[in-house]
Amino acid sequence: MDQNFLLSTLTAKWLYHEIAEEMPIIDYHCHISPQEIAEDRKFNNISEVWLGGDHYKWRQMRFGGIPEDLITGKGDPREKFRAFAAVLPRLIGNPMYHWSHLELKRVFGIEEPLTSENADEIYEKCNEVLSKYSARDLMRKFHVKAVCTTDDPCDDLRWHEKIAADQAMEIKVLPAFTIANFIARQARHVIGIEYVEDAIRDAKLNAAVNGLANTEFYAGDMKDVLTDEFVAEHGRPDVMIVDPPRAGMHDDVVRVILNAAPRRIVYVSCNPATQARDLAALDCSYRVTAVQPVDMFPHTHHVENVVCLERR
């Protein structure tokens, strides 16, 4: 992975090295804790940086059969790093393999691939370099101009307030909100349905903290909640925003959406393949009027896709 990694043509090399390389980064989906930024945290070891909150790495470690104590548990940081190092060589072809080694190269000056055999040596080298950096220093090293943090729905935003008031902090740090509460100020009434009860509880708290009086939230499976009785009680929706998991929408969910017959559907997807399947199922009553892909993971096949549908 040299300086021309993934740059296979002269045009690509020119565009990156002459135009893009020194441009600032605007990261609208960041996993850095706003508290760590506000306190300008100094990290004790590479495991705190890499494995402290990265669910992408957690997922690969779980696929690799690593015990949870060495993923999100209270296991020793060095043992956690060894466990990740044991999994990483199996990920050749996965963007995680590329990201991890590019970080080792660009931040820590480490050129060799990370394996179980050299995990301890690389662990020590990384920790030595980390002793010279804080959270903000790492952001500056990558020319970060702005980030949107991934916040708890009931966050009181006090860490964001501290960052905003800090005259020494030149990087813009912004919170991210749930869809229902985000659109509430532009709608007469918003109803949110979510399978995870904890998320509903947090959404209610978030609405209260932000003074939103026009939102309602219901916990349960959409196919069980969005019944004829529910529509009769709350009214037929003008706009329905759906954001399913990668597996897309269950056939029963498609059925209740068709039955609810909203005037417009906005479908947010992290898997265009299952989204295309669902759009075909909705085609009997809805036509696609707009499509907007969002490339959140450059140089990978992953893309978010937002589709607007209007009732025929």
Side-chain angles (χ1 to χ4, degrees):
M1 295 184 190
D2 60 15
Q3 63 177 354
N4 291 321
F5 177 61
L6 294 178
L7 306 177
S8 57
T9 68
L10 290 175
T11 301
K13 294 172 184 177
W14 179 83
L15 282 172
Y16 178 74
H17 293 299
E18 299 298 327
I19 306 297
E21 188 170 10
E22 297 302 320
M23 292 181 67
I25 290 176
I26 299 175
D27 184 353
Y28 43 85
H29 182 71
C30 174
H31 289 207
I32 301 176
S33 162
Q35 180 177 352
E36 292 177 351
I37 300 172
E39 296 177 339
D40 202 15
R41 178 182 176 184
K42 293 292 290 286
F43 298 94
N44 295 313
N45 54 70
I46 182 62
S47 294
E48 290 182 354
V49 180
W50 266 16
L51 306 174
D54 190 335
H55 64 83
Y56 296 108
K57 289 187 176 71
W58 295 347
R59 183 185 307 159
Q60 297 302 330
M61 293 174 76
R62 291 183 182 116
F63 287 159
I66 303 300
E68 194 66 29
D69 189 53
L70 294 179
I71 304 175
T72 61
K74 297 181 179 180
D76 177 74
R78 183 185 292 270
E79 292 299 326
K80 288 185 175 183
F81 188 76
R82 287 172 176 168
F84 178 68
V87 170
L88 190 59
R90 308 179 209 170
L91 304 181
I92 294 178
N94 186 303
M96 171 102 25
Y97 187 88
H98 305 151
W99 297 339
S100 299
H101 285 100
L102 285 173
E103 288 175 5
L104 288 175
K105 175 183 176 68
R106 294 178 179 178
V107 178
F108 303 101
I110 296 171
E111 303 276 354
E112 58 192 297
L114 174 61
T115 66
S116 295
E117 287 71 26
N118 62 10
D120 282 346
E121 179 184 355
I122 289 180
Y123 182 80
E124 296 296 341
K125 287 182 179 178
C126 289
N127 293 348
E128 182 180 353
V129 173
L130 274 178
S131 67
K132 305 171 185 175
Y133 288 95
S134 66
R136 296 184 187 184
D137 291 333
L138 290 170
M139 295 171 74
R140 292 181 180 116
K141 184 173 180 63
F142 284 100
H143 309 295
V144 174
K145 182 178 181 180
V147 297
C148 291
T149 58
T150 305
D151 301 282
D152 191 296
C154 62
D155 198 324
D156 60 11
L157 304 183
R158 67 182 184 277
W159 298 112
H160 284 278
E161 292 174 349
K162 290 184 178 181
I163 295 169
D166 188 345
Q167 297 295 320
M169 181 54 170
E170 77 284 5
I171 301 171
K172 183 75 72 176
V173 181
L174 303 170
F177 294 97
T178 57
I179 293 175
N181 286 328
F182 179 76
I183 65 172
R185 300 191 193 280
Q186 285 76 47
R188 181 174 61 84
H189 192 71
V190 177
I191 294 175
I193 301 173
E194 166 61 51
Y195 186 79
V196 180
E197 291 188 7
D198 285 346
I200 290 296
R201 183 198 66 227
D202 291 343
K204 291 178 179 178
L205 287 171
N206 187 23
V209 167
N210 288 278
L212 301 174
N214 63 333
T215 59
E216 291 183 64
F217 297 96
Y218 296 87
D221 194 315
M222 190 169 172
K223 65 181 175 59
D224 299 323
V225 176
L226 194 62
T227 61
D228 290 338
E229 293 76 17
F230 188 91
V231 173
E233 178 182 352
H234 296 279
R236 196 168 301 280
D238 296 309
V239 179
M240 183 180 293
I241 302 175
V242 295
D243 184 11
R246 293 188 61 80
M249 297 191 297
H250 190 277
D251 290 345
D252 290 338
V253 173
V254 173
R255 178 180 53 77
V256 298
I257 290 175
L258 290 171
N259 188 59
R263 180 172 55 85
R264 177 181 300 161
I265 299 172
V266 178
Y267 188 149
V268 182
S269 173
C270 59
N271 186 352
T274 54
Q275 184 186 45
R277 178 203 65 202
D278 295 342
L279 294 179
L282 293 168
D283 186 65
C284 58
S285 299
Y286 289 88
R287 62 185 180 89
V288 173
T289 58
V291 178
Q292 179 60 66
V294 182
D295 188 7
M296 297 181 67
F297 302 100
H299 302 303
T300 79
H301 65 281
H302 295 289
V303 64
E304 296 280 324
N305 198 48
V306 184
V307 174
C308 182
L309 302 100
E310 301 280 350
R311 195 169 63 221
R312 294 185 184 277

